[in-house]
Amino acid sequence: MAATYALLEGPALAEHLNGVPAVAARLGGRPGDWRVREIGDGNVNYVFEVRGPAGRICVKQAMPYVRVVGESWPLTPRRTYYEYRALQEHGRLVAARVPEVLGYDPERNLLALEHLAPHVVLRHGLLHGVRYPRLARQLAEYLAGSMFGTSDLARPAVEKRRLATLFGGNTEMTQIMEDMVFTETYREHWRNSWTHPQLDAAADRLRSDTGLKIAASRLKLRYLTCAQALLHGDLHTGSILVTEDDTRVIDQEFACFGPMGFDLGTLLAHLLIGHLARAGHQPADAERNEYQEWILEVIEELWHGFSRRFLQLWERSADGDAYPRALFAHPADLDTERRRYVDQVWADTLGFCGTEILRRIFGLAHVVELQSIPDDDIRAACELRCVSLATDLLTRPTAYPTVEAVTSAARSV
Ligand code: SR1
Ligand code: MG
């Protein structure tokens, strides 16, 4: 049965947090001195900032429903448990790239986290044309470290299977992805919407193009069956907090074991949308061009940084059961095989990038970069460029053997 409890706010939340020693120490003073403010803008949970005389923390609360829709869409609040466990696992591997966990309350499905300031949500930073010089390198470090470190390349099989079984319980969250990313976009569904009437013909094509539906369904099968690594599970630019120097990845409630390309492709999709939506916000001038080029540089540096770091980790610390040391005494024995593995991750990345772009234009959860373009025709033109690129990535992946092939297509689409 669904849990029933009220959202903790204001003084009630402060009183509750007083029972968590790490939180009370960080805030200082007494609960009566703490100021609570709602700061969340995500689709799923409530997020509060709590400020005390000595410091601030961030509190995430899951209600037994989807925040953006309300009680008519029930959703397990146990999603917070998986977020907590993913933060623990990824925190052990790439501590500098995730927030510190200060407390987890399984009764109230509440997570107390380090407050990150002066960080901003990457999506908002990109919308305002801000550059983040360390972004690509730090995201590559997060992705390579968290994914290699939870894969069969790094972990003994027993350990990895136990972990995969634990995260296999996050079924309500993964089902949202299974439905929304791979199925609903390609059929009529009440949750879908798009820029009407400009994109009506494009929406019809998605529903009638068998080749495209097969491509999306193959990727769905891969998401369902390929337990390659512990993924973030929803790695869009709203799940990343940034400053000029620092990058942190948040919101792991969709964490699951899945194909590495799912996280990489999701991230790539949102960076490409950021690039292509720019035309709806700024006149075509040198400044716009330079910013769009910077986003493409981030994409290239991200992929190259990821693959370099991933291969390095594999060469240096392959303690998993997948390619036993007993068979491959010399690191060079596996050079070709390691490259083949990374090539497969790239192929997956292209496909998942395509499905993510399409679902953000035709599905339920749209993105502010496109939604905030006030003129319908201009927005539709940007969206159609996104659709064209996404469709090509899905149906002709072999035309994109390198990341430069993708960035070049993004320039000319
Ligand atoms: C109700 S959940 C809608 C979407 O928001 C989240 O960020 C996930 O991407 C999900 O698909
Ligand atoms: Mg989220």
Side-chain angles (χ1 to χ4, degrees), residues 42-44 60 234 236 238-239 251 253-254:
N43 292 325
V44 185
K60 225 176 140 169
D234 191 25
H236 55 76
S239 301
D251 280 2
E253 69 258 18
F254 286 86

Side-chain angles (χ1 to χ4, degrees), residues 159-188:
E159 210 180 289
K160 190 261 178 168
R161 277 189 193 283
R162 281 198 187 123
L163 204 55
T165 302
L166 185 149
F167 281 94
N170 201 9
T171 50
E172 286 193 36
M173 302 307 281
T174 46
Q175 191 175 355
I176 289 179
M177 292 305 185
E178 288 146 23
D179 294 344
M180 287 178 45
V181 178
F182 304 107
T183 306
E184 289 171 13
T185 317
Y186 306 91
R187 54 168 294 205
E188 282 184 16

Side-chain angles (χ1 to χ4, degrees), residues 20-319:
V20 186
V23 167
R26 183 139 322 186
L27 294 171
R30 303 290 308 144
D33 308 324
W34 301 347
R35 284 208 309 281
V36 177
R37 183 169 73 98
E38 225 252 297
I39 54 168
D41 68 350
N43 292 325
V44 185
N45 297 305
Y46 291 86
V47 184
F48 295 85
E49 176 197 80
V50 185
R51 190 187 280 255
R56 276 182 283 179
I57 63 150
C58 179
V59 177
K60 225 176 140 169
Q61 281 184 74
M63 296 306 284
Y65 52 81
V66 174
R67 173 195 166 142
V68 75
V69 176
E71 293 182 44
S72 63
W73 186 348
L75 183 65
T76 175
R78 198 167 150 77
R79 56 192 185 264
T80 310
Y81 170 69
Y82 296 102
E83 176 164 1
Y84 165 61
R85 289 291 289 111
L87 278 168
Q88 282 186 320
E89 292 303 324
H90 287 177
R92 272 195 275 276
L93 295 161
V94 276
R97 303 278 71 90
V98 292
E100 183 190 349
V101 178
L102 302 171
Y104 164 63
D105 176 349
E107 306 278 309
R108 305 300 301 232
N109 299 295
L110 181 153
L111 200 51
L113 300 165
E114 168 187 13
H115 184 277
L116 294 164
H119 296 64
V120 299
V121 174
L122 175 59
R123 188 185 297 293
H124 298 159
L126 295 179
L127 195 53
H128 290 102
V130 184
R131 288 173 169 78
Y132 299 98
R134 301 185 184 201
L135 176 69
R137 189 171 58 71
Q138 294 184 342
L139 284 175
E141 175 196 328
Y142 168 77
L143 284 160
S146 64
M147 298 205 287
F148 177 81
T150 53
S151 74
D152 287 292
L153 307 170
R155 300 286 264 264
V158 171
E159 210 180 289
K160 190 261 178 168
R161 277 189 193 283
R162 281 198 187 123
L163 204 55
T165 302
L166 185 149
F167 281 94
N170 201 9
T171 50
E172 286 193 36
M173 302 307 281
T174 46
Q175 191 175 355
I176 289 179
M177 292 305 185
E178 288 146 23
D179 294 344
M180 287 178 45
V181 178
F182 304 107
T183 306
E184 289 171 13
T185 317
Y186 306 91
R187 54 168 294 205
E188 282 184 16
H189 196 279
W190 64 269
R191 282 199 284 242
N192 290 343
S193 70
W194 53 83
T195 303
H196 164 74
Q198 289 86 343
L199 263 64
D200 287 359
D204 278 347
R205 273 200 302 278
L206 294 195
R207 292 194 292 266
S208 59
D209 184 337
T210 305
L212 193 65
K213 289 189 280 188
I214 287 179
S217 298
R218 275 190 194 148
L219 288 156
K220 180 174 187 173
L221 185 61
R222 211 145 162 73
Y223 178 77
L224 286 165
T225 59
C226 175
Q228 218 168 19
L230 176 59
L231 309 182
H232 174 283
D234 191 25
L235 193 54
H236 55 76
T237 46
S239 301
I240 298 167
L241 295 178
V242 279
T243 65
E244 268 209 9
D245 298 320
D246 191 32
T247 308
R248 305 289 187 103
V249 179
I250 59 166
D251 280 2
Q252 285 79 356
E253 69 258 18
F254 286 86
C256 61
F257 269 76
M260 298 179 186
F262 185 75
D263 273 359
L264 283 153
T266 301
L267 185 51
L268 185 56
H270 288 261
L271 292 170
L272 287 169
I273 291 174
H275 167 88
L276 292 169
R278 203 83 213 143
H281 293 284
Q282 213 179 338
D285 59 12
E287 199 189 326
R288 177 176 108 192
N289 196 36
E290 279 165 24
Y291 194 68
Q292 285 183 305
E293 279 303 307
W294 176 77
I295 296 181
L296 297 183
E297 277 165 30
V298 169
I299 291 173
E300 291 174 6
E301 200 188 327
L302 174 65
W303 172 254
H304 290 305
F306 165 79
S307 51
R308 199 167 43 240
R309 181 75 188 131
F310 189 88
L311 290 169
Q312 237 173 32
L313 288 169
W314 192 346
E315 274 168 45
R316 289 180 193 165
S317 51
D319 298 323

